[in-house]
Amino acid sequence: MNSFVDLLISLPELLLVVTAMGMMVVGVYTSADRAYTLISNAAVLSLFVAIGLVLFSKTGTKLAFNDLFINDGFAQYIKVIVLLAAALVILIGDRAVRKIKIAHFEYPILITFATIGMMLMVSANDLMSLYIGLELQSLALYVVAALNRDSLRSSEAGLKYFVLGALSSGMLLYGCSLIYGYAGTTSFAGLETAIAGASNISLGLLTGLVFLIVGLAFKVAAVPFHMWTPDVYEGAPTPVTAFFAAAPKVAAMALFVRITMGPFQGMADQWQQIIIVLSVLSMVLAALAAISQTNIKRLMAYSSIGHAGYALIGLGACTKEGTTAVLIYLAIYIVMVIGTFACILCMKRKGSSVEQISDLAGLGKSHPAIAAALLLFMFSMAGIPPLAGFFGKLYIFLAAIEAELYSLAVIGVLASVVGSFYYLRIVKVMYFDNLSDELDSAIGKRISVIISLCALTILLFFLSPSLLVDSASTAASVLFEK
């Protein structure tokens, strides 16, 4: 009976696991011409069905598999974002993966397995289930980064991500082993009890926590553990880069929140300073380094580093308001980044993708609709009101001020002002530079619809922000119910 209840609690994950294994069998026995289309559609359908299962599952905190797995409001909120991002990335990348001849049926299956890993990460209630989810995600991502075997850059990106990812996993695992050695348990509830009952925090436990944070900082690409990001973003196929910038980033940040605000909330005085330093370094380095970039994928890599820094401000506040702000920021960030990459995937000249910012010259005249959408996404990322990105940063900075982290809020505002330069530079190139060689006009209906929906969400968010704010607040409150 308990096993049946456990299966019901983890029904969305089980659905995706069964679907992914079924897709592997179908893909092997289907002709190469039809396999990708069939598997891709099945993957998108299963991801949307999983969203429905998450949305309509019973509310409240439920534990499964000997308390290794937790399903609560926080996990459900993040799962919806991750699943939606994965489905949209498959949809917007459809034409591109066919064009660069990586339309193998393994691609949507690997995306699905990575998504399952992310769902396990955000539902982890034990250091062991945390590590299994993290590795399931990482193994799939190592492969998709190098999916274009004919490209030297893609192979290099996959190898670099694998080597540095293995290093970070080793540090995270070492941290977990130290924590277990000094706390005597790997369960989050046990760790919380052990920390609350300790008169003094042992140096070994603190060292373990530092290694754990280092491993997670690598996954969210926070400075100084960001070194893999620009090269992997540039080298990986563009649809894969869109996936890297979206779902894994959100899942890793959610795991960061789950760990720090969960079992280690009693050690906030120790880890808060580390988070603040990571946040400041990420915002400042990203704002300065992105200015000199000429490749739009490398620019988006530094942009993602900067956004990780802003999200870490909310985490550094160590309050419910800060956690709520992080969840709001992540939801808005996903819409902005998917919309931006959808525009990037539209940029082709004579059938070949273009990646240089200078290639956008004259886009405002040749493709006014795409240019207008990209303008909205850039303005939103820069934090210009009344677009959604402005509200994301506003909630983050307000949380920092309420926590009396005035210096951190000021640094965040200054970094945001400096960072606006490279977003506005793209707008300037699109509308004020002379049209050189015109880009291809055909962009596809599917990607047009997704760009339109993302742009409208960003533009009209201010009309009803309470819908997202209330959901994020409800999800965050789960972590503070003691």
Side-chain angles (χ1 to χ4, degrees):
M1 186 63 187
N2 284 338
S3 300
F4 181 71
V5 174
D6 290 351
L7 295 178
L8 278 180
I9 293 172
S10 59
L11 195 56
E13 287 83 358
L14 284 177
L15 168 81
L16 291 179
V17 169
V18 172
T19 307
M21 290 192 290
M23 288 191 295
M24 279 197 292
V25 176
V26 172
V28 170
Y29 290 102
T30 306
S31 64
D33 295 340
R34 296 181 56 238
Y36 172 73
T37 303
L38 184 65
I39 302 299
S40 178
N41 291 336
V44 172
L45 180 63
S46 64
L47 290 166
F48 276 115
V49 172
I51 292 174
L53 290 175
V54 173
L55 287 175
F56 294 106
S57 60
K58 290 183 179 178
T59 56
T61 302
K62 300 176 188 63
L63 299 170
F65 306 113
N66 293 322
D67 298 349
L68 291 169
F69 184 94
I70 186 169
N71 190 21
D72 54 16
F74 176 79
Q76 289 171 343
Y77 179 93
I78 297 297
K79 282 178 188 177
V80 170
I81 297 176
V82 167
L83 287 164
L84 188 62
L88 291 179
V89 164
I90 294 176
L91 289 173
I92 65 173
D94 184 63
R95 286 165 65 98
V97 295
R98 293 176 194 276
K99 190 65 188 175
I100 55 180
K101 298 179 180 176
I102 58 168
H104 312 301
F105 72 87
E106 294 90 345
Y107 169 66
I109 293 176
L110 286 166
I111 295 286
T112 305
F113 273 121
T115 307
I116 296 168
M118 293 173 214
M119 294 172 75
L120 293 178
M121 285 163 58
V122 298
S123 276
N125 195 39
D126 190 286
L127 293 176
M128 289 190 292
S129 52
L130 176 157
Y131 186 71
I132 290 170
L134 199 65
E135 284 307 289
L136 177 58
Q137 175 214 238
S138 300
L139 289 173
L141 293 181
Y142 298 149
V143 180
V144 291
L147 200 61
N148 191 1
R149 289 171 296 181
D150 297 329
S151 167
L152 184 62
R153 287 197 309 168
S154 178
S155 301
E156 181 186 345
L159 184 62
K160 187 171 287 187
Y161 188 49
F162 171 72
V163 171
L164 294 174
L167 177 66
S168 76
S169 293
M171 288 191 284
L172 187 141
L173 199 55
Y174 183 59
C176 291
S177 64
L178 281 175
I179 291 168
Y180 173 70
Y182 283 91
T185 179
T186 56
S187 80
F188 287 178
L191 286 171
E192 194 171 343
T193 304
I195 292 168
S199 53
N200 292 308
I201 301 297
S202 69
L203 184 60
L205 184 60
L206 185 60
T207 307
L209 177 60
V210 170
F211 274 98
L212 189 65
I213 289 176
V214 168
L216 293 175
F218 177 91
K219 298 300 179 187
V220 300
V223 178
F225 310 103
H226 67 289
M227 67 293 286
W228 59 276
T229 316
D231 292 341
V232 173
Y233 273 45
E234 184 183 9
T238 306
V240 175
T241 307
F243 187 60
F244 273 114
K249 178 82 82 177
V250 170
M253 188 60 74
L255 183 58
F256 223 140
V257 174
R258 169 82 77 184
I259 286 285
T260 50
M261 293 300 174
F264 293 102
Q265 199 174 124
M267 293 174 63
D269 291 342
Q270 281 78 23
W271 56 255
Q272 185 184 31
Q273 303 305 316
I274 302 173
I275 299 296
I276 290 173
V277 170
L278 291 176
S279 173
V280 171
L281 291 177
S282 301
M283 289 186 296
V284 173
L285 183 133
L288 298 177
I291 291 174
S292 60
Q293 301 304 316
T294 57
N295 182 292
I296 196 162
K297 286 165 70 177
R298 287 188 74 87
L299 186 143
M300 289 304 296
Y302 283 105
S303 170
S304 77
I305 294 168
H307 286 294
Y310 296 121
L312 286 173
I313 291 180
L315 186 57
C318 303
T319 60
K320 182 193 165 189
E321 289 73 22
T323 306
T324 303
V326 174
L327 296 182
I328 295 169
Y329 197 85
L330 292 178
I332 293 172
Y333 169 75
I334 280 290
V335 179
M336 293 189 298
V337 80
I338 286 181
T340 302
F341 271 97
C343 292
I344 294 172
L345 285 165
C346 291
M347 297 190 308
K348 290 185 173 59
R349 180 171 292 128
K350 296 175 182 175
S352 300
S353 298
V354 294
E355 298 177 357
Q356 297 300 312
I357 294 173
S358 58
D359 291 324
L360 295 171
L363 193 70
K365 296 175 183 172
S366 62
H367 298 74
I370 295 179
L374 192 54
L375 176 143
L376 280 176
F377 299 133
M378 293 298 104
F379 277 8
S380 183
M381 285 195 179
I384 294 175
L387 302 176
F390 165 75
F391 291 96
K393 288 183 178 175
L394 179 66
Y395 285 113
I396 286 284
F397 295 146
L398 286 177
I401 291 170
E402 287 176 8
E404 299 183 354
L405 298 173
Y406 304 116
S407 302
L408 186 59
V410 170
I411 293 171
V413 172
L414 292 176
S416 184
V417 172
V418 175
S420 299
F421 173 81
Y422 57 84
Y423 294 124
L424 298 179
R425 182 160 62 100
I426 292 177
V427 176
K428 175 255 179 190
V429 171
M430 287 194 301
Y431 284 96
F432 297 103
D433 284 9
N434 293 326
L435 181 66
S436 52
D437 203 0
E438 194 168 318
L439 299 176
D440 296 349
S441 57
I443 60 171
K445 291 181 181 177
R446 184 183 288 179
I447 202 166
S448 303
V449 171
I450 293 174
I451 291 175
S452 302
L453 289 175
C454 290
L456 285 174
T457 304
I458 294 298
L459 182 62
L460 303 178
F461 176 79
F462 72 94
L463 294 177
S464 183
S466 59
L467 186 64
L468 177 63
V469 173
D470 292 345
S471 301
S473 179
T474 304
S477 63
V478 172
L479 300 177
F480 294 85
E481 291 173 353
K482 303 296 179 187

